[in-house]
Amino acid sequence: MLRLVLFGAMEAWGIGGASVLPRSRKARALLAILAMAPGQPLPRAGLAALLWSGRGEEQRRGSLRQTLHELQDVLAPLGPPLLITTRDTVALRSDVVWTDAIELDRTLSPGATFLNDMGGLDPAFDHWLAEQRRRLHDPGPTAILPSAAIRGARIGVPPIHIQGSGIAPHLSHALAQEISAALARFRWLFVTDSASLAAAAQRYGTEEEAARALGVDLLLTGTLCSDDNRLRFSFRLTDLRETGSTVWAERLERDAADMPGLRDEIASAIVARLDPEILRIETHRAGSGMATSPSCYDLLLRAIVAIHRIDRDSFLAAGIWLREAMALEPNCAAAHAWYAYWHIFLIGQGWADDSPPLIAEAGFHASLAVALDPLDAHALTVAGHVRAFLHHEVEDAAALHDRALALNPNLAMAWVFSGLTQSYLGRHEDALRRLDRYASLAPFHPHAFYFDAARAVPLLYRRRHEEAVEVGRMVTAMRPGFSYPYKTYLAALGHLGMQEEAAEVRAKLRAIEPDFCIEKALRRTPAQRPEDTAHYIEGLRRAGLT
């Protein structure tokens, strides 16, 4: 009843040769996604996230409904409904559809390009499209592209295994798609399409073999069990490059009554923990040895490790690697974003003067990163922190952070930097709520020493000095060479009259940043309310700073 041509420009033909190609590109893309998983119920949430990744959840659902109506209308003349729809899923009937990319497989000519007119539709769809093209070009396990040619870790999430009764079968695919869509918001990750992985598993026998055949580096598998009105989730991350070793595991438990909306909650909890864990794994691999001709990605990872050591020599080497990364790939948004981030530490540590040219350089690279990839939440939140911390353009910074969180609500860094910005604006309770959100999303983040230090700012301004001191003690114990937390720590000690501890903290701060003084503190603070600035400076004076 329906013949689809997906290699080259997309075509759709009905019985008798009548074209039934949808008019809108989004409807065409939706039809193509469904055709590449024939007969499989795909979750509406996952489909919406692939085609409208930059919109809110309600907007995505509404856009999907409209596009489905368009698709149903254009296919209606073919006879019985070809789309099988439920409240949560959509499927394309496999028994009455012929698709060249499914039926012809390897016999296609080398010059044929899968959906060559569909690029640039949406960043998440572009990821899906790139994965399909790679898989169709080299479907066998012996024809995988070298990892050096692929930017970012490649991660796959097969359908979740369900054990026990009372759980809707579609939740298996739906949860995997939800997690995949959430992971795809982290621009440095390359996420393999869940439906493609499931289809490959039938061909190769096991999920692990299928993942290897598709060139996946990291495989996230999950199990859902129900027992006594409780839902128990267990997830395991396997590094397929390390002979299939388990590198991370997580267990979550929820009440079965919370089933509505549970997919979003579980996906958020898992993804927010996975991002820093995968970053840790990848940076460890990069740090264990540098290739003779390192890629932009290799250089980025090595620089990230060096930045967060807070060691001057390593830190300066990180700047060299970032400049080399930008030279290799001038249009790489991540390289420019990390270079702008590097400037924050360079100036914040006192390793360079906060001169206008240096601050302008940080702003240039932060803005360029956003221009190169406006949908990169990491680039947006780094740009926001540069605006707030270095340029003191705090209102503009708040808008950038909110945009970052709209694009990726599971990005821990965005919650931290947006929290700091809210405190600079005098909205300290909102700041603490945002910092609480970071702590719940990523309780064991590898850069916790940096992120946790932010909490002392609203605590100090709220006159919760004892708590600010506790934060200072904890963070400086984790990274004694990090100068920033000593400043709020010292101010809080001054207000508490704890002169002996203040003298010790002042000495440690001056060992890192010898020229830190009241005048420099005044020049550096982004606080917008005079009363907040006055409270900070008065605390430093009482602590013995001149």
Side-chain angles (χ1 to χ4, degrees), residues 1-4 12-14 20 31 75 78 82 92 96-98:
M1 294 174 63
L2 177 64
R3 182 181 180 89
L4 293 174
W13 304 96
V20 289
L31 180 57
L75 297 178
L78 300 182
L82 272 68
L92 181 66
V96 292
V97 177
W98 181 95

Side-chain angles (χ1 to χ4, degrees), residues 9 22 33 59 78 81 94 102 180 212 251 313 317 334 349 353-354 370 391 404 409 422 446-447 520 535:
I33 294 168
Q59 287 181 304
L78 300 182
S94 60
I102 299 292
S180 296
R212 292 183 189 277
R251 294 179 183 272
D313 291 340
Q349 284 287 110
D353 292 334
D354 49 347
V370 173
H391 294 266
Q422 291 303 309
H447 303 152
K520 191 174 184 180
H535 187 71

Side-chain angles (χ1 to χ4, degrees), residues 5 28 36 46 57 86 130 165 186 251 268 272 284 298 444 448 476 492-493 539:
V5 176
R28 295 179 189 183
M36 292 305 292
E57 185 177 354
T86 69
S165 59
F186 293 90
R251 294 179 183 272
S268 292
H284 176 72
D298 294 329
F444 304 108
T476 56
L493 289 170

Side-chain angles (χ1 to χ4, degrees), residues 312-324:
R312 187 186 178 97
D313 291 340
S314 296
F315 181 83
L316 295 177
I320 295 171
W321 290 325
L322 289 168
R323 288 189 287 273
E324 289 177 0

Side-chain angles (χ1 to χ4, degrees), residues 259-443:
M259 185 65 78
L262 194 62
R263 291 203 308 264
D264 286 344
E265 181 189 344
I266 295 299
S268 292
I270 292 301
V271 168
R273 288 162 172 77
L274 263 182
D275 170 55
E277 187 62 29
I278 295 173
L279 180 62
R280 184 192 63 78
I281 293 166
E282 293 298 285
T283 52
H284 176 72
R285 286 176 63 86
S288 62
M290 179 68 84
T292 305
S293 299
S295 67
C296 175
Y297 180 63
D298 294 329
L299 291 163
L300 274 179
L301 292 176
R302 175 156 283 202
I304 292 168
V305 174
I307 288 172
H308 293 96
R309 284 184 185 140
I310 313 296
D311 168 78
R312 187 186 178 97
D313 291 340
S314 296
F315 181 83
L316 295 177
I320 295 171
W321 290 325
L322 289 168
R323 288 189 287 273
E324 289 177 0
M326 291 185 293
L328 282 174
E329 294 191 30
N331 293 328
C332 176
H336 291 281
W338 280 108
Y339 193 52
Y341 182 90
W342 179 83
H343 279 77
I344 294 170
F345 280 90
L346 180 70
I347 296 170
Q349 284 287 110
W351 289 336
D353 292 334
D354 49 347
S355 62
L358 198 59
I359 290 174
E361 184 179 21
F364 168 78
H365 287 282
S367 297
L368 181 55
V370 173
L372 288 169
D373 191 349
L375 299 180
D376 186 342
H378 174 261
L380 281 160
T381 202
V382 167
H385 197 42
V386 168
R387 290 275 186 95
F389 185 66
L390 297 182
H391 294 266
H392 299 176
E393 297 170 357
V394 184
E395 291 285 358
D396 290 345
L400 287 167
H401 294 313
D402 286 345
R403 173 66 174 159
L405 288 170
L407 287 168
N408 190 352
N410 300 313
L411 182 61
M413 179 187 284
W415 287 106
V416 173
F417 288 168
S418 67
L420 270 175
T421 297
Q422 291 303 309
S423 195
Y424 297 152
L425 288 167
R427 304 164 189 162
H428 308 307
E429 292 304 322
D430 187 23
L432 290 169
R433 283 191 293 270
R434 292 178 185 236
L435 293 167
D436 285 341
R437 180 60 177 159
Y438 141 70
S440 66
L441 279 173

